[in-house]
Amino acid sequence: MGTTKYIFVTGGVTSSLGKGILASSLAKLLQARGYSVTIQKLDPYINVDPGTLNPYEHGECYVTEDGAETDLDLGHYERFLNAPTSQGNNVTTGRIYQSVINKERRGDYLGKTVQIIPHITDEIKRRIKILGSKGKYDIVITEIGGTVGDIESLPYVETVRQLKWELGNDALVVHLTLVPFLAASGELKTKPTQHSVKLLLENGVQPDVLVLRTEHDLGLNIRRKVALFCNVDIDSVVQSVDVPTIYDVPLKMREQKLDQTVLRKLDLEEGKEPELKAWNDFLSKLKNPKSETEIALVGKYVELHDAYKSITEAMIHAGAMNETKVKVRWVHSEEVTADNVAEKLGGVDGILVAPGFGHRGIEGKIEAVKHARENKVPFLGICLGMQISVIEFARNVLGLTNANSVEMNEKAQYPVIDLMEAQKGVTEKGGTMRLGAYDCQVKKDTNLFGAYKAAEVKERHRHRYEFNNDFLEQFENAGMKASGINPDTGLVEAVEIAEHPWFVGVQFHPEYSSTVLNPHPLFVAFVGAAMSNKNN
Ligand code: GLN
């Protein structure tokens, strides 16, 4: 393997243009040409990781196999590349400062004034290069969060400047901007792009490739104009027209030869034509569904769909696998009551109760589970969703009226969900949950086994509370069985109800490991069960 090449993806004009999807799509194309690629996200906020952020702030918190709580873009990286990311793939300003300050206290900089340049920028550089230094990757793509011009982004842009200077042709900057369409005059406007490139230039960074998000085809004249004003080659001005699904973006970038341009500029061989057969098969199934299946997603953050990104993507993957279009009915758990549950969930083919924290919306979730259980609607409960299914069963089947999770009521009379032993001494909130992948033994003759067709699986976790094994016998005698168990601790990782067409609650998060090429078996089985329910 030659030297590792570094690609930086920056964004201008506005946030939410899809830098994560662009980085993932470019990585996908390079991977499909035979290169080994990984993607990293640098987040300019001061939290050490997004684990302590409310989903309203920043969308879902994504968890890697090695237990890092990360930005949701890492989910896209894994879904596109079908390869795991890890702790090193997401770095925040908080983490950078934390290491620099720890080093200062240790005396590593003894005698020196510790400054943004070079100490902070060196630490950022180290975090970028660490991924390349393992000899595992030909190309490391680093996505810089935020928008150029943000105060928080400055040290990152400065680091990119230094790395471009140090690495020469081994580094390249792809800048993503917006070309808005002014309906009143019927014109596409390039000025915001020019301004954002000027901002980068003020910071000493000349972008090599520009990707322009647009609602309409840009045409050669506009691309020429942008090339001229921004000092880039015309074939390095790439348009990214809005598409119906994010999974189309790699193909659109391929049409625009983004992969070839990037490889040429990095002095890398074009290699073989991108191998995208499996990707195209997925897209073709996604776009030609034979039916529609409606799944209710019951959660308390439903106003912000990004809070459930991995779940909705996993349902898209599973829908394509089943050749059905999964339509999500967003149901706010706070609005569900015993009186309206039949109406709120009426006609759906499956019910998914989402993960979450804290008391808000709990009673609505319990009503949703009860509805699924009593009406034999296929049910998937994830993490808190599983815990809720246990509480519901305790209250309404076992008759333990005051059953609860200790998270909701510390003094619950029947604490059917209890704080894990390992959590009892935990006082700090950040990064202290049970995180990352753990083994799970799957019991034969269960829906879980039917889905996985495997007796042992590994799934990712993010929680503090757990099924209370003191109640297990009582639950099993009444028909709710533990179908997944952690072999080392005996923790219940999955429950199900045999006397129900498909009722599964899992303490782990299957959604994190669903990818385009490997839709998660539990989601595939759940959507399959929802389809059968509809047909009956
Ligand atoms: N709040 C629950 C716990 O900590 C569930 C967490 C989750 O849904 N991710 O155990």
Side-chain angles (χ1 to χ4, degrees), residues 36-345:
S36 59
V37 192
T38 192
I39 320 175
Q40 175 186 47
K41 172 94 188 265
L42 301 182
D43 273 308
Y45 50 73
I46 297 173
N47 303 61
V48 171
D49 62 42
T52 53
L53 288 176
N54 185 314
Y56 287 126
E57 295 274 318
H58 210 65
E60 162 189 287
C61 172
Y62 184 78
V63 178
T64 60
E65 274 180 6
D66 65 349
E69 296 181 285
T70 73
D71 186 74
L72 61 76
D73 272 337
L74 271 79
H76 290 310
Y77 307 162
E78 291 202 9
R79 291 188 279 272
F80 276 62
L81 293 181
N82 200 35
T85 53
S86 68
Q87 183 79 58
N89 292 74
N90 192 195
V91 178
T92 67
T93 295
R95 201 173 282 283
I96 299 280
Y97 272 80
Q98 193 181 46
S99 356
V100 170
I101 290 170
N102 286 343
K103 283 185 198 168
E104 188 276 333
R105 290 289 82 184
R106 269 204 318 261
D108 292 8
Y109 310 113
L110 219 54
K112 293 263 181 297
T113 309
V114 181
Q115 294 180 298
I116 291 182
I117 308 170
H119 302 102
I120 294 295
T121 50
D122 278 355
E123 181 61 22
I124 299 174
K125 260 194 251 182
R126 193 178 72 77
R127 300 278 181 159
I128 293 169
K129 285 186 166 172
I130 253 177
L131 289 178
S133 68
K134 295 190 180 128
K136 253 170 84 182
Y137 303 110
D138 303 310
I139 302 168
V140 174
I141 300 183
T142 298
E143 176 192 345
I144 315 280
T147 310
V148 294
D150 296 348
I151 291 181
E152 291 95 336
S153 302
L154 276 174
Y156 293 100
V157 177
E158 165 60 15
T159 307
V160 172
R161 183 195 69 75
Q162 294 179 21
L163 281 173
K164 271 204 91 183
W165 179 70
E166 285 170 26
L167 297 170
N169 276 3
D170 292 341
L172 175 127
V173 175
V174 177
H175 186 55
L176 175 65
T177 73
L178 174 72
V179 174
F181 177 73
L182 294 193
S185 59
E187 277 180 300
L188 287 156
K189 290 299 192 185
T190 66
K191 193 72 82 190
T193 294
Q194 296 176 40
H195 278 197
S196 92
V197 171
K198 283 230 165 72
L199 262 177
L200 265 181
L201 286 168
E202 273 173 29
N203 293 305
V205 175
Q206 167 67 57
D208 302 280
V209 177
L210 296 176
V211 178
L212 313 176
R213 273 296 298 273
T214 170
E215 284 171 40
H216 304 277
D217 214 68
L218 293 181
L220 198 57
N221 278 345
I222 293 202
R223 287 176 49 216
R224 268 207 196 106
K225 184 171 168 187
V226 170
L228 177 68
F229 278 97
C230 302
N231 331 313
V232 291
D233 312 325
I234 177 78
D235 62 358
S236 301
V237 183
V238 167
Q239 69 172 11
S240 175
V241 183
D242 295 356
V243 279
T245 151
I246 54 171
Y247 299 113
D248 270 333
V249 179
L251 303 182
K252 290 289 157 197
M253 292 301 103
R254 173 76 199 100
E255 275 169 33
Q256 299 268 307
K257 300 191 169 57
L258 175 65
D259 49 340
Q260 283 156 296
T261 303
V262 160
L263 289 170
R264 194 180 64 244
K265 287 185 176 280
L266 288 171
D267 288 334
L268 286 173
E269 300 283 323
E270 261 187 30
K272 55 176 187 172
E273 277 297 294
E275 212 292 280
L276 291 166
K277 186 181 174 308
W279 191 271
N280 282 320
D281 288 350
F282 160 80
L283 271 178
S284 137
K285 283 191 187 157
L286 181 67
K287 290 179 180 179
N288 300 293
K290 298 191 174 127
S291 63
E292 188 174 279
T293 305
E294 192 176 9
I295 306 257
L297 196 163
V298 185
K300 67 173 170 178
Y301 303 112
V302 292
E303 309 90 323
L304 183 76
H305 295 185
D306 266 3
Y308 302 108
K309 195 80 219 167
S310 292
I311 292 179
T312 50
E313 294 307 313
M315 289 208 272
I316 290 172
H317 307 154
M321 191 80 168
N322 281 296
E323 296 184 75
T324 189
K325 179 180 165 41
V326 175
K327 188 174 154 204
V328 176
R329 184 188 298 183
W330 297 92
V331 178
H332 201 307
S333 50
E334 274 185 303
E335 289 165 10
V336 180
T337 62
D339 292 336
N340 69 17
V341 64
E343 177 214 331
K344 291 255 181 216
L345 297 175

Side-chain angles (χ1 to χ4, degrees), residues 22-41:
L22 173 64
S24 304
S25 302
L26 174 57
K28 179 77 215 166
L29 292 176
L30 299 173
Q31 182 196 53
R33 281 183 181 273
Y35 287 101
S36 59
V37 192
T38 192
I39 320 175
Q40 175 186 47
K41 172 94 188 265

Side-chain angles (χ1 to χ4, degrees), residues 354-358 365 382-387 405 407-408 417-420 423 433-434 461-466 506-509 511-512:
F357 294 84
K365 284 186 171 175
I382 300 180
C383 207
L384 180 65
M386 171 269 202
Q387 298 174 352
S405 164
E407 180 180 8
M408 316 309 159
I417 302 292
D418 202 359
L419 191 62
M420 279 181 281
Q423 287 288 323
M433 281 187 249
R434 178 179 184 229
H461 292 252
R462 182 174 188 246
H463 61 119
R464 297 189 199 276
Y465 299 85
E466 179 59 74
V506 286
Q507 185 56 77
F508 47 78
H509 291 263
E511 71 274 22
Y512 292 145

Side-chain angles (χ1 to χ4, degrees), residues 395-412:
R395 288 188 190 175
N396 299 325
V397 180
L398 302 180
L400 309 176
T401 326
N402 297 322
N404 214 334
S405 164
V406 171
E407 180 180 8
M408 316 309 159
N409 178 2
E410 262 180 70
K411 298 197 169 62

